[in-house]
Amino acid sequence: NAGVTQTPKFQVLKTGQSMTLQCAQDMNHNSMYWYRQDPGMGLRLIYYSASEGTTDKGEVPNGYNVSRLNKREFSLRLESAAPSQTSVYFCASSASAGRNQPQHFGDGTRLSIL
Amino acid sequence: AQSVTQLGSHVSVSEGALVLLRCNYSSSVPPYLFWYVQYPNQGLQLLLKYTSAATLVKGINGFEAEFKKSETSFHLTKPSAHMSDAAEYFCAVSDRQSSGDKLTFGTGTRLAVRP
């Protein structure tokens, strides 16, 4: 019963390097989300995809890009990593665009940028 | 835009004591509200959700929350704290957008349980 799977779990990058965070869900959900979590700031939405083929900016999209590869997969890319992007990144999914639909979360990717 | 305020970033209670975690929301339309729990090094798990069917919502692990429209609150309670309840708790409100739905999270309350 995997749910939402994120890879990698940990990563250390140097400033200016690029990398892609992977996310896959096996619940046949339509909507997927990327958040970052920083101490004292809760979760902030980076990008989301309401359905396959669509993506939209969230609260903090600068420095990130996303790809909704198919219904299952939603990746987050850092083109040129900066120390300010050191954070814990969470992917989530929900069944549909209904307002009462809870989101299901992966276990996160802990990213450090030196 | 919707917003959520969680009063108290840290709450400490004794084992067996009442747990009360506060959440207030701002919304111009009837909201959908959620409580999530996060254990160390894990993602968020849904505790309960309010979707207007009943003002008192029961969740997992003995938690419940009451929606009070007059106070714009959705506080989380548990009658008797257990050591395993130590975690961070997030309140969230659903924010309807034309291109889909988003959750807006509060900044979280870390619950410590003393033996």
Side-chain angles (χ1 to χ4, degrees), chain A residues 37-43, chain B residues 4-9 88-91 105-110:
Chain A
Q37 183 178 29
D38 302 291
M41 303 189 76
L43 276 76
Chain B
V4 169
T5 301
Q6 291 184 242
L7 296 176
S9 58
E88 190 157 20
Y89 293 80
F90 292 92
C91 183
F105 286 87
T107 52
T109 298
R110 187 170 298 278

PDB file of all heavy atoms in Angstrom, chain A residues 37-43, chain B residues 4-9 88-91 105-110:
ATOM      1  N   GLN A  37       8.537  22.740   3.350  1.00  0.00           N
ATOM      2  CA  GLN A  37       8.283  22.948   4.770  1.00  0.00           C
ATOM      3  C   GLN A  37       9.534  23.510   5.418  1.00  0.00           C
ATOM      4  O   GLN A  37      10.597  22.891   5.377  1.00  0.00           O
ATOM      5  CB  GLN A  37       7.894  21.641   5.468  1.00  0.00           C
ATOM      6  CG  GLN A  37       7.553  21.839   6.939  1.00  0.00           C
ATOM      7  CD  GLN A  37       7.130  20.568   7.630  1.00  0.00           C
ATOM      8  OE1 GLN A  37       7.548  19.473   7.250  1.00  0.00           O
ATOM      9  NE2 GLN A  37       6.286  20.677   8.638  1.00  0.00           N
ATOM     10  N   ASP A  38       9.407  24.667   6.008  1.00  0.00           N
ATOM     11  CA  ASP A  38      10.497  25.336   6.699  1.00  0.00           C
ATOM     12  C   ASP A  38      10.074  25.610   8.131  1.00  0.00           C
ATOM     13  O   ASP A  38       8.884  25.863   8.400  1.00  0.00           O
ATOM     14  CB  ASP A  38      10.858  26.644   5.983  1.00  0.00           C
ATOM     15  CG  ASP A  38      11.241  26.414   4.531  1.00  0.00           C
ATOM     16  OD1 ASP A  38      12.315  25.818   4.320  1.00  0.00           O
ATOM     17  OD2 ASP A  38      10.481  26.792   3.621  1.00  0.00           O
ATOM     18  N   PRO A  39      11.011  25.590   9.068  1.00  0.00           N
ATOM     19  CA  PRO A  39      10.666  25.767  10.491  1.00  0.00           C
ATOM     20  C   PRO A  39       9.864  27.044  10.723  1.00  0.00           C
ATOM     21  O   PRO A  39      10.237  28.121  10.274  1.00  0.00           O
ATOM     22  CB  PRO A  39      12.046  25.837  11.162  1.00  0.00           C
ATOM     23  CG  PRO A  39      12.946  25.066  10.265  1.00  0.00           C
ATOM     24  CD  PRO A  39      12.451  25.344   8.865  1.00  0.00           C
ATOM     25  N   GLY A  40       8.748  26.900  11.448  1.00  0.00           N
ATOM     26  CA  GLY A  40       7.931  28.048  11.815  1.00  0.00           C
ATOM     27  C   GLY A  40       7.073  28.613  10.703  1.00  0.00           C
ATOM     28  O   GLY A  40       6.378  29.607  10.906  1.00  0.00           O
ATOM     29  N   MET A  41       7.106  27.977   9.533  1.00  0.00           N
ATOM     30  CA  MET A  41       6.360  28.535   8.400  1.00  0.00           C
ATOM     31  C   MET A  41       5.307  27.579   7.853  1.00  0.00           C
ATOM     32  O   MET A  41       4.644  27.880   6.872  1.00  0.00           O
ATOM     33  CB  MET A  41       7.327  28.949   7.291  1.00  0.00           C
ATOM     34  CG  MET A  41       8.367  29.955   7.762  1.00  0.00           C
ATOM     35  SD  MET A  41       9.347  30.630   6.432  1.00  0.00           S
ATOM     36  CE  MET A  41       8.183  31.759   5.712  1.00  0.00           C
ATOM     37  N   GLY A  42       5.154  26.443   8.470  1.00  0.00           N
ATOM     38  CA  GLY A  42       4.161  25.498   7.970  1.00  0.00           C
ATOM     39  C   GLY A  42       4.550  24.979   6.597  1.00  0.00           C
ATOM     40  O   GLY A  42       5.716  24.926   6.234  1.00  0.00           O
ATOM     41  N   LEU A  43       3.549  24.589   5.826  1.00  0.00           N
ATOM     42  CA  LEU A  43       3.775  24.115   4.464  1.00  0.00           C
ATOM     43  C   LEU A  43       3.353  25.214   3.490  1.00  0.00           C
ATOM     44  O   LEU A  43       2.267  25.784   3.618  1.00  0.00           O
ATOM     45  CB  LEU A  43       2.969  22.855   4.182  1.00  0.00           C
ATOM     46  CG  LEU A  43       3.592  21.548   4.629  1.00  0.00           C
ATOM     47  CD1 LEU A  43       3.471  21.386   6.129  1.00  0.00           C
ATOM     48  CD2 LEU A  43       2.945  20.370   3.911  1.00  0.00           C
TER      49      LEU A  43
ATOM     50  N   VAL B   4      -5.328  30.675   7.796  1.00  0.00           N
ATOM     51  CA  VAL B   4      -5.502  29.903   9.011  1.00  0.00           C
ATOM     52  C   VAL B   4      -4.482  30.379  10.026  1.00  0.00           C
ATOM     53  O   VAL B   4      -3.311  30.557   9.690  1.00  0.00           O
ATOM     54  CB  VAL B   4      -5.294  28.391   8.731  1.00  0.00           C
ATOM     55  CG1 VAL B   4      -5.200  27.619  10.018  1.00  0.00           C
ATOM     56  CG2 VAL B   4      -6.426  27.844   7.886  1.00  0.00           C
ATOM     57  N   THR B   5      -4.921  30.559  11.263  1.00  0.00           N
ATOM     58  CA  THR B   5      -4.032  30.960  12.341  1.00  0.00           C
ATOM     59  C   THR B   5      -4.057  29.909  13.440  1.00  0.00           C
ATOM     60  O   THR B   5      -5.126  29.567  13.948  1.00  0.00           O
ATOM     61  CB  THR B   5      -4.457  32.314  12.930  1.00  0.00           C
ATOM     62  OG1 THR B   5      -4.446  33.303  11.900  1.00  0.00           O
ATOM     63  CG2 THR B   5      -3.502  32.740  14.044  1.00  0.00           C
ATOM     64  N   GLN B   6      -2.896  29.396  13.776  1.00  0.00           N
ATOM     65  CA  GLN B   6      -2.791  28.457  14.887  1.00  0.00           C
ATOM     66  C   GLN B   6      -2.114  29.188  16.049  1.00  0.00           C
ATOM     67  O   GLN B   6      -0.979  29.632  15.927  1.00  0.00           O
ATOM     68  CB  GLN B   6      -1.978  27.227  14.483  1.00  0.00           C
ATOM     69  CG  GLN B   6      -2.704  26.354  13.472  1.00  0.00           C
ATOM     70  CD  GLN B   6      -1.940  25.083  13.155  1.00  0.00           C
ATOM     71  OE1 GLN B   6      -1.538  24.851  12.024  1.00  0.00           O
ATOM     72  NE2 GLN B   6      -1.738  24.239  14.165  1.00  0.00           N
ATOM     73  N   LEU B   7      -2.823  29.303  17.137  1.00  0.00           N
ATOM     74  CA  LEU B   7      -2.307  30.013  18.303  1.00  0.00           C
ATOM     75  C   LEU B   7      -1.457  29.074  19.141  1.00  0.00           C
ATOM     76  O   LEU B   7      -1.935  28.041  19.591  1.00  0.00           O
ATOM     77  CB  LEU B   7      -3.471  30.564  19.127  1.00  0.00           C
ATOM     78  CG  LEU B   7      -4.317  31.625  18.429  1.00  0.00           C
ATOM     79  CD1 LEU B   7      -5.491  32.028  19.286  1.00  0.00           C
ATOM     80  CD2 LEU B   7      -3.459  32.839  18.073  1.00  0.00           C
ATOM     81  N   GLY B   8      -0.205  29.465  19.341  1.00  0.00           N
ATOM     82  CA  GLY B   8       0.697  28.631  20.117  1.00  0.00           C
ATOM     83  C   GLY B   8       1.496  27.709  19.228  1.00  0.00           C
ATOM     84  O   GLY B   8       0.968  26.728  18.710  1.00  0.00           O
ATOM     85  N   SER B   9       2.772  27.995  19.045  1.00  0.00           N
ATOM     86  CA  SER B   9       3.602  27.135  18.215  1.00  0.00           C
ATOM     87  C   SER B   9       4.049  25.894  18.992  1.00  0.00           C
ATOM     88  O   SER B   9       4.417  24.891  18.377  1.00  0.00           O
ATOM     89  CB  SER B   9       4.825  27.898  17.708  1.00  0.00           C
ATOM     90  OG  SER B   9       5.578  28.399  18.796  1.00  0.00           O
ATOM     91  N   GLU B  88       3.702  17.175  15.560  1.00  0.00           N
ATOM     92  CA  GLU B  88       3.309  18.515  15.133  1.00  0.00           C
ATOM     93  C   GLU B  88       1.962  18.416  14.429  1.00  0.00           C
ATOM     94  O   GLU B  88       1.727  17.501  13.640  1.00  0.00           O
ATOM     95  CB  GLU B  88       4.348  19.137  14.209  1.00  0.00           C
ATOM     96  CG  GLU B  88       4.096  20.615  13.940  1.00  0.00           C
ATOM     97  CD  GLU B  88       5.334  21.380  13.517  1.00  0.00           C
ATOM     98  OE1 GLU B  88       6.306  20.745  13.057  1.00  0.00           O
ATOM     99  OE2 GLU B  88       5.325  22.630  13.637  1.00  0.00           O
ATOM    100  N   TYR B  89       1.100  19.374  14.725  1.00  0.00           N
ATOM    101  CA  TYR B  89      -0.269  19.361  14.219  1.00  0.00           C
ATOM    102  C   TYR B  89      -0.516  20.599  13.369  1.00  0.00           C
ATOM    103  O   TYR B  89      -0.149  21.716  13.747  1.00  0.00           O
ATOM    104  CB  TYR B  89      -1.267  19.315  15.387  1.00  0.00           C
ATOM    105  CG  TYR B  89      -1.201  18.001  16.148  1.00  0.00           C
ATOM    106  CD1 TYR B  89      -0.197  17.779  17.089  1.00  0.00           C
ATOM    107  CD2 TYR B  89      -2.111  16.985  15.894  1.00  0.00           C
ATOM    108  CE1 TYR B  89      -0.115  16.568  17.765  1.00  0.00           C
ATOM    109  CE2 TYR B  89      -2.036  15.775  16.559  1.00  0.00           C
ATOM    110  CZ  TYR B  89      -1.032  15.577  17.496  1.00  0.00           C
ATOM    111  OH  TYR B  89      -0.950  14.372  18.157  1.00  0.00           O
ATOM    112  N   PHE B  90      -1.142  20.375  12.220  1.00  0.00           N
ATOM    113  CA  PHE B  90      -1.407  21.458  11.280  1.00  0.00           C
ATOM    114  C   PHE B  90      -2.903  21.539  10.984  1.00  0.00           C
ATOM    115  O   PHE B  90      -3.539  20.532  10.669  1.00  0.00           O
ATOM    116  CB  PHE B  90      -0.667  21.223   9.961  1.00  0.00           C
ATOM    117  CG  PHE B  90       0.826  21.325  10.069  1.00  0.00           C
ATOM    118  CD1 PHE B  90       1.582  20.184  10.315  1.00  0.00           C
ATOM    119  CD2 PHE B  90       1.466  22.539   9.931  1.00  0.00           C
ATOM    120  CE1 PHE B  90       2.960  20.273  10.418  1.00  0.00           C
ATOM    121  CE2 PHE B  90       2.841  22.640  10.029  1.00  0.00           C
ATOM    122  CZ  PHE B  90       3.594  21.499  10.278  1.00  0.00           C
ATOM    123  N   CYS B  91      -3.410  22.754  11.056  1.00  0.00           N
ATOM    124  CA  CYS B  91      -4.764  23.046  10.620  1.00  0.00           C
ATOM    125  C   CYS B  91      -4.689  23.571   9.183  1.00  0.00           C
ATOM    126  O   CYS B  91      -3.717  24.268   8.830  1.00  0.00           O
ATOM    127  CB  CYS B  91      -5.376  24.102  11.540  1.00  0.00           C
ATOM    128  SG  CYS B  91      -7.078  24.524  11.201  1.00  0.00           S
ATOM    129  N   PHE B 105      -2.218  26.025   4.788  1.00  0.00           N
ATOM    130  CA  PHE B 105      -1.885  25.464   6.087  1.00  0.00           C
ATOM    131  C   PHE B 105      -1.552  26.552   7.095  1.00  0.00           C
ATOM    132  O   PHE B 105      -1.003  27.607   6.753  1.00  0.00           O
ATOM    133  CB  PHE B 105      -0.673  24.537   5.961  1.00  0.00           C
ATOM    134  CG  PHE B 105      -0.985  23.228   5.314  1.00  0.00           C
ATOM    135  CD1 PHE B 105      -0.948  23.089   3.939  1.00  0.00           C
ATOM    136  CD2 PHE B 105      -1.326  22.119   6.078  1.00  0.00           C
ATOM    137  CE1 PHE B 105      -1.253  21.884   3.330  1.00  0.00           C
ATOM    138  CE2 PHE B 105      -1.622  20.907   5.482  1.00  0.00           C
ATOM    139  CZ  PHE B 105      -1.585  20.789   4.106  1.00  0.00           C
ATOM    140  N   GLY B 106      -1.848  26.261   8.356  1.00  0.00           N
ATOM    141  CA  GLY B 106      -1.328  27.070   9.430  1.00  0.00           C
ATOM    142  C   GLY B 106       0.140  26.751   9.651  1.00  0.00           C
ATOM    143  O   GLY B 106       0.705  25.851   9.017  1.00  0.00           O
ATOM    144  N   THR B 107       0.757  27.483  10.568  1.00  0.00           N
ATOM    145  CA  THR B 107       2.193  27.320  10.787  1.00  0.00           C
ATOM    146  C   THR B 107       2.524  26.160  11.720  1.00  0.00           C
ATOM    147  O   THR B 107       3.697  25.879  11.948  1.00  0.00           O
ATOM    148  CB  THR B 107       2.804  28.608  11.347  1.00  0.00           C
ATOM    149  OG1 THR B 107       2.057  29.012  12.494  1.00  0.00           O
ATOM    150  CG2 THR B 107       2.769  29.720  10.307  1.00  0.00           C
ATOM    151  N   GLY B 108       1.509  25.498  12.244  1.00  0.00           N
ATOM    152  CA  GLY B 108       1.744  24.292  13.015  1.00  0.00           C
ATOM    153  C   GLY B 108       1.867  24.533  14.519  1.00  0.00           C
ATOM    154  O   GLY B 108       2.278  25.601  14.966  1.00  0.00           O
ATOM    155  N   THR B 109       1.485  23.517  15.292  1.00  0.00           N
ATOM    156  CA  THR B 109       1.650  23.504  16.752  1.00  0.00           C
ATOM    157  C   THR B 109       2.331  22.207  17.134  1.00  0.00           C
ATOM    158  O   THR B 109       1.837  21.125  16.795  1.00  0.00           O
ATOM    159  CB  THR B 109       0.300  23.600  17.479  1.00  0.00           C
ATOM    160  OG1 THR B 109      -0.324  24.842  17.158  1.00  0.00           O
ATOM    161  CG2 THR B 109       0.506  23.508  18.994  1.00  0.00           C
ATOM    162  N   ARG B 110       3.461  22.338  17.789  1.00  0.00           N
ATOM    163  CA  ARG B 110       4.183  21.147  18.234  1.00  0.00           C
ATOM    164  C   ARG B 110       3.698  20.775  19.623  1.00  0.00           C
ATOM    165  O   ARG B 110       3.767  21.582  20.559  1.00  0.00           O
ATOM    166  CB  ARG B 110       5.685  21.385  18.248  1.00  0.00           C
ATOM    167  CG  ARG B 110       6.498  20.127  18.529  1.00  0.00           C
ATOM    168  CD  ARG B 110       7.982  20.360  18.305  1.00  0.00           C
ATOM    169  NE  ARG B 110       8.295  20.714  16.939  1.00  0.00           N
ATOM    170  CZ  ARG B 110       8.433  19.844  15.938  1.00  0.00           C
ATOM    171  NH1 ARG B 110       8.271  18.553  16.170  1.00  0.00           N
ATOM    172  NH2 ARG B 110       8.739  20.253  14.725  1.00  0.00           N
TER     173      ARG B 110
END
